[in-house]
């Protein structure tokens, strides 16, 4: 996997950024606002070589690859460049391919889509250049020419998506800068969730949109069957997310944003024009469904290998296939019958087999029983677990506790607990939340008081999922109540078999058991302490870095889409299946697009971890988008299949209904969506701390 640009691609991006920053200030946009065209900027873009860069060198261009063109359009979007650069790039490539004259573009714009001006159109089996007065000049004819024209339109869709992402990201950046400075009620307005959280949503949506554009280009270059669907996905999502971001950005300015003197209203207008000029963006969503499930083919633009790669790699594929062979051999019918998405699906014997096969904790250090597998291999493995619907909840929460013991535990503690965890003989759980603190885990009241070489722990923890099958709990306790809330905290790895520990079940809407765990004068030897006394913040930060990723939640979206397609492909007595209906395909296409977007954000988080590029916002963006879209999509699929989904009688609808109840919890576990929005607002947008 690789998300690094090449030197050439960075050169194009940086040159475009400098050009549009210098040549397209806001007054140029204002002057051209009525016609959305600046002849002077067009001439400069032609002279800079941007307009014809996609044409071959023989045709007078630079034979730039499609990703370079997308990077150029993104920078043009950032400045709302009032020239039809998107059309020109695709038109230049088309002209070069059909024997036309690329210098046509020197005389002025040449459009492929809607808009006033000269246009290349396909009519009567041939291509023609049509002037505004309706006169036409023949350009080329025949099936090959028509295919190239269709490919140019697909390229235009993709480049338009890049332009929209760039424009909307700049609008969000402007809103964030304003919100960090504008004060109300004695603090910057960016410190208020009502302002910060919608901007965090927009930033996440747009990061996903850029990745989807890149993914479509990668799919085209790789010759993937889903490349055409990826283009339509990118067009729909960019238009939808950019329009939503533009509204959010403008509202962040309040009444000032409505003034024609403000720059943000220019972005609102330009983004809406670019997103809607070809009609309702949802038409692209219908095309996604047609291309994925109705056999509709589409011509694709040509491009070289862009260098980026969204695959997990050959080693990850081998490991995933190894895991599939294990499940096929070891997952008996009896185990399949008892499988469950929660800890209720845990089977001690099967868990030991997973551990022995290196499938429980494959990325652990070898000294502690792991194989030091890469993040790519671990992500690929998680998807295999979901293919077989086998729970990873006990593994996930045990992994967090074990990692903290590896990083902060004494050698004595490591030697005691890590071999047992590694071989599958023991599990751990998490003891962070409390009944009165909820997501504010640092408001913990559970006390740990020093008594010689021991600690006496009193208190209770809420949502200690897995405590009834676990041997240890990673427990947060207050050791110095005189210090501020975020200080005076210490982490312990407490054996749950100690006297004074009791566990009470809490059964939930999503058909799973969690627990309240009680600690009554529990005497814990000091060797179970992790990190220094009152140093729990460092341990919690390391634990949250693990918990705030999205991969563990996103895999559920793949099985949701699988269930939706199984339902949609099931024919009734008359031989008709829901998927035969284009409206149904369109609804499921929305789910498929959300799955793709979440997948890309999670892959980016995995890549960032593997290459040490992680920011504090990377994981939260993946988790936020994955869980929020999952919740929305389960609700939408329930409505789509209603009323059969209310009392489901088929396995596919049973699974959708279960996931609908399960989905809300995913937006709460691992830090609520509100917490993740706050992190994104602060870390990705530079907004002030909330509170």
């Amino acid at each position: 996997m690789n998300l690094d640009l090449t030197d050439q691609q960075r050169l194009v991006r940086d040159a475009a950024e400098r050009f549009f920053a210098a040549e397209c200030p806001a007054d140029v946009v204002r002057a051209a606002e009525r016609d959305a065209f600046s002849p002077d900027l067009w001439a400069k873009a032609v002279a800079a070589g941007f307009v014809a860069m996609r044409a071959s060198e023989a045709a007078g261009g630079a034979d730039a690859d499609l990703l370079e063109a997308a990077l150029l359009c993104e920078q043009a979007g950032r400045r709302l460049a009032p020239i039809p650069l998107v059309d020109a790039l695709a038109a230049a490539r088309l002209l070069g391919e059909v024997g036309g004259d690329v210098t046509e573009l020197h005389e002025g714009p040449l459009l492929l889509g809607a808009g006033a001006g000269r246009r290349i159109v396909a009519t009567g089996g041939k291509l023609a250049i049509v002037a505004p007065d309706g006169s036409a000049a023949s350009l080329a004819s025949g099936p090959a020419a028509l295919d190239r024209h269709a490919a140019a339109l697909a390229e235009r869709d993709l480049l338009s998506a890049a332009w929209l992402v760039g424009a909307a990201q700049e609008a969000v950046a402007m809103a964030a800068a304003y919100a960090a400075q504008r004060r109300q009620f004695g603090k910057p307005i960016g410190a208020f969730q009502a302002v910060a959280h919608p901007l965090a949503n927009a930033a996440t949506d747009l990061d996903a949109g850029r990745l989807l554009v890149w993914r479509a280009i990668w799919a085209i270059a790789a010759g993937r069957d889903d490349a055409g669907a990826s283009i339509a996905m990118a067009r729909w999502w960019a238009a939808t997310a950019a329009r939503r971001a533009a509204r959010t950005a403008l509202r962040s300015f309040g009444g000032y944003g409505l003034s024609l003197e403000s720059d943000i209203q220019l972005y609102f207008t330009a983004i809406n024009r670019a997103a809607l000029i070809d009609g309702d963006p949802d038409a692209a969503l219908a095309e996604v469904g047609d291309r994925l499930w109705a056999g509709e083919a589409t011509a694709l633009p040509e491009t070289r290998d862009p260098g980026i790669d969204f695959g997990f790699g050959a080693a990850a594929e081998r490991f995933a296939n190894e895991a599939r062979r294990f499940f096929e051999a070891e997952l008996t019918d009896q185990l399949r019958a008892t499988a469950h998405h929660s800890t209720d699906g845990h089977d001690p014997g099967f868990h030991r087999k997973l551990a022995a096969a290196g499938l429980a904790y494959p990325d652990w250090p070898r000294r502690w029983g792991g194989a030091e597998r890469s993040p790519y291999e671990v992500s690929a493995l998680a998807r295999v677990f979901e293919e077989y619907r086998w729970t990873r909840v006990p593994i996930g929460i045990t992994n967090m506790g074990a990692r903290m013991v590896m990083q902060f535990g004494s050698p004595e503690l490591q030697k005691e607990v890590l071999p047992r965890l590694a071989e599958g003989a023991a599990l751990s759980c998490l003891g962070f939340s409390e009944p009165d603190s909820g997501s504010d885990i640092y408001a913990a009241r559970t006390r740990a008081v020093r008594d010689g070489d021991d600690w006496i722990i009193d208190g209770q923890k809420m949502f200690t999922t897995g405590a009834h099958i676990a041997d240890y709990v990673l427990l947060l306790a207050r050791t110095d109540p005189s210090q501020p809330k975020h200080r005076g905290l210490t982490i312990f790895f407490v054996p749950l078999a100690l006297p004074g520990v009791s566990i009470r079940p809490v059964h939930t809407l999503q058909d799973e058991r969690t627990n309240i765990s009680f600690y009554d004068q529990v005497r814990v030897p000091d060797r179970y302490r992790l990190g220094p006394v009152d140093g729990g913040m460092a341990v919690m930060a390391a634990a949250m870095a693990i918990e705030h990723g999205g991969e563990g939640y996103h895999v559920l979206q793949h099985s949701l889409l699988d269930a939706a397609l199984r339902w949609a492909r099931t024919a009734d007595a008359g031989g008709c299946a829901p998927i035969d209906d284009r409206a149904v395909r369109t609804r499921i296409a929305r789910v498929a697009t959300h799955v793709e977007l979440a997948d890309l954000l999670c892959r980016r988080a995995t890549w960032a971890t593997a290459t040490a590029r992680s920011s504090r916002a990377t994981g939260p963006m993946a988790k936020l988008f994955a869980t929020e879209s999952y919740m929305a999509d389960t609700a939408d699929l329930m409505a789509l299949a209603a009323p059969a989904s209310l009392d489901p009688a088929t396995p596919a609808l049973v699974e959708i209904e279960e996931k609908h109840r399960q989905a809300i919890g995913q937006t709460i576990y691992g830090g609520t969506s509100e917490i993740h929005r706050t992190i994104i607002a602060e870390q990705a947008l530079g907004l002030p701390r909330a509170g």
Side-chain angles (χ1 to χ4, degrees):
M1 187 172 180
N2 175 49
L3 296 182
D4 271 330
L5 297 176
T6 65
D7 290 342
Q8 172 64 23
Q9 290 160 351
R10 284 194 293 269
L11 183 66
V12 170
R13 180 198 61 193
D14 295 346
E17 182 180 14
R18 291 191 299 270
F19 174 85
F20 288 110
E23 304 296 344
C24 191
D27 60 335
V28 170
V29 180
R30 279 190 170 81
E33 190 172 6
R34 182 180 181 86
D35 300 317
F37 179 66
S38 167
D40 181 60
L41 184 61
W42 177 262
K44 291 177 179 177
V46 169
F50 291 148
V51 169
M53 66 182 286
R54 273 286 284 159
S56 67
E57 293 181 4
D63 196 26
D65 69 38
L66 194 50
L67 183 53
E68 291 170 4
L71 295 169
L72 171 65
C73 289
E74 187 177 321
Q75 295 303 320
R78 284 186 59 198
R79 301 293 177 173
L80 304 181
I83 54 175
L85 184 62
V86 165
D87 286 75
L89 287 161
R93 183 81 179 188
L94 175 60
L95 286 171
E97 289 173 336
V98 301
D101 187 357
V102 175
T103 61
E104 286 264 5
L105 294 165
H106 296 179
E107 301 172 12
L110 195 55
L111 305 178
L112 288 171
R118 296 186 306 155
R119 300 172 62 207
I120 300 178
V121 300
T123 179
K126 64 181 181 180
L127 300 183
I129 298 178
V130 178
D133 63 5
S135 61
S138 180
L139 181 59
S141 61
L146 295 177
D147 283 347
R148 290 189 173 99
H149 179 257
L153 291 174
E155 177 169 335
R156 176 182 178 271
D157 286 345
L158 203 50
L159 297 181
S160 176
W163 192 99
L164 282 163
V165 167
Q169 286 192 316
E170 186 67 16
V172 169
M174 292 166 61
Y178 178 81
Q181 296 177 358
R182 172 71 173 171
R183 298 183 68 84
Q184 194 73 35
F185 306 112
K187 62 178 64 177
I189 62 172
F192 298 112
Q193 290 186 357
V195 175
H197 285 191
L199 290 173
N201 287 339
T204 301
D205 289 350
L206 296 170
D207 269 21
R210 174 192 281 123
L211 289 169
L212 187 52
V213 170
W214 288 19
R215 196 267 181 198
I217 294 170
W218 169 72
I220 293 168
R224 291 178 57 95
D225 292 340
D226 60 358
S230 289
I231 295 172
M233 284 180 176
R235 186 176 76 184
W236 171 72
W237 181 251
T240 302
R243 292 182 68 216
R244 186 162 54 227
R247 294 192 296 271
T248 297
L250 191 146
R251 289 193 75 251
S252 300
F253 283 82
Y256 295 104
L258 301 174
S259 168
L260 294 182
E261 296 178 357
S262 73
D263 289 347
I264 195 64
Q265 55 84 22
L266 297 174
Y267 282 80
F268 177 83
T269 300
I271 286 170
N272 272 280
R273 177 181 176 83
L276 302 178
I277 193 168
D278 292 320
D280 185 353
D282 280 2
L285 202 58
E287 290 179 7
V288 173
D290 292 345
R291 293 173 185 180
L292 286 176
W293 307 303
E296 181 184 282
T298 184
L300 301 174
E302 294 183 0
T303 188
R304 297 185 302 278
D305 180 357
I308 55 173
D309 185 357
F310 286 95
F312 286 138
E317 288 301 320
R318 287 193 299 271
F319 187 45
N321 288 331
E322 177 185 325
R324 290 186 182 98
R325 289 191 294 271
F326 171 87
F327 276 103
E328 289 295 333
E330 302 292 343
L331 195 60
T332 65
D333 290 343
Q334 181 179 0
L335 286 170
R336 290 176 190 269
T338 60
H340 194 270
H341 63 81
S342 75
T343 55
D344 289 348
H346 174 70
D347 182 271
F350 191 72
H351 180 68
R352 282 178 177 269
K353 289 184 177 181
L354 285 167
L359 300 177
Y361 312 108
D363 56 337
W364 283 13
R366 287 187 174 87
R367 64 179 295 213
W368 298 123
E372 298 182 6
R373 297 278 187 177
S374 73
Y376 306 126
E377 291 170 298
V378 173
S379 291
L381 176 64
R383 293 157 192 246
V384 176
F385 268 76
E386 189 61 21
E387 284 177 30
Y388 289 88
R389 305 300 195 268
W390 194 258
T391 182
R392 292 181 70 249
V393 174
I395 289 174
I397 54 182
T398 297
N399 177 65
M400 183 181 293
R403 289 285 184 180
M404 296 307 98
V405 172
M406 291 178 199
Q407 189 170 348
F408 298 99
S410 66
E412 182 183 10
L413 179 62
Q414 292 171 346
K415 185 176 180 180
E416 174 187 340
V417 305
L418 291 177
R420 295 187 65 215
L421 298 175
E423 66 186 23
L427 298 171
S428 70
C429 61
L430 307 178
F432 297 156
S433 298
E434 297 187 5
D436 293 331
S437 59
S439 294
D440 186 9
I441 57 177
Y442 300 115
R445 296 183 180 180
T446 294
R447 288 290 312 277
V449 178
R450 193 71 179 254
D451 184 24
D453 292 333
D454 297 335
W455 294 84
I456 307 299
I457 297 180
D458 286 281
Q460 58 182 295
K461 293 292 180 178
M462 190 70 184
F463 307 123
T464 43
T465 299
H468 59 296
I469 59 173
D471 302 271
Y472 301 93
V473 58
L474 185 66
L475 186 113
L476 174 70
R478 188 163 298 283
T479 44
D480 186 350
S482 68
Q483 294 196 41
K485 182 174 71 172
H486 288 76
R487 299 179 183 176
L489 297 167
T490 304
I491 305 290
F492 299 87
F493 199 62
V494 179
L496 287 169
L498 292 175
V501 176
S502 58
I503 297 166
R504 192 179 79 193
V506 175
H507 297 285
T508 68
L509 170 71
Q510 54 264 51
D511 187 28
E512 65 180 26
R513 172 182 172 167
T514 185
N515 304 283
I516 302 178
S517 52
F518 300 89
Y519 307 87
D520 182 13
Q521 292 286 295
V522 178
R523 181 173 291 275
V524 180
D526 186 57
R527 70 175 182 275
Y528 290 102
R529 173 172 49 84
L530 301 181
V533 175
D534 298 337
M537 279 296 294
V539 184
M540 285 301 299
M544 291 300 100
I546 297 173
E547 192 169 33
H548 284 175
E551 185 68 69
Y553 301 90
H554 164 60
V555 292
L556 301 171
Q557 292 179 281
H558 289 280
S559 52
L560 173 67
L561 179 58
D562 174 70
L565 290 172
R566 283 190 281 116
W567 163 76
R569 286 170 170 152
T570 302
D572 60 18
C576 296
I579 205 164
D580 298 332
D581 184 340
R582 196 177 196 225
V584 171
R585 292 199 301 272
T586 300
R587 292 277 283 278
I588 300 177
R590 179 182 285 106
V591 177
T593 303
H594 288 159
V595 172
E596 192 67 67
L597 290 159
D599 183 72
L600 292 168
L601 287 168
C602 289
R603 285 176 187 263
R604 181 181 68 169
T606 299
W607 173 78
T609 298
T611 58
R613 312 283 184 86
S614 291
S615 73
R616 284 198 61 204
T618 306
M621 279 187 171
K623 199 271 183 181
L624 172 67
F625 190 94
T627 57
E628 288 290 326
S629 59
Y630 179 56
M631 181 172 65
D633 288 336
T634 58
D636 192 44
L637 289 172
M638 283 287 291
L640 179 62
S645 56
L646 296 175
D647 188 18
T650 66
L653 289 182
V654 167
E655 186 169 6
I656 290 171
E657 193 277 333
E658 287 176 345
K659 289 181 181 297
H660 180 232
R661 287 183 284 111
Q662 177 195 29
I664 298 175
Q666 307 305 302
T667 68
I668 299 170
Y669 300 156
T672 65
S673 292
E674 287 70 27
I675 288 174
H676 288 285
R677 290 186 182 104
T678 296
I679 294 171
I680 294 163
E682 294 174 3
Q683 300 298 319
L685 296 176
L687 289 172
R689 289 181 62 86

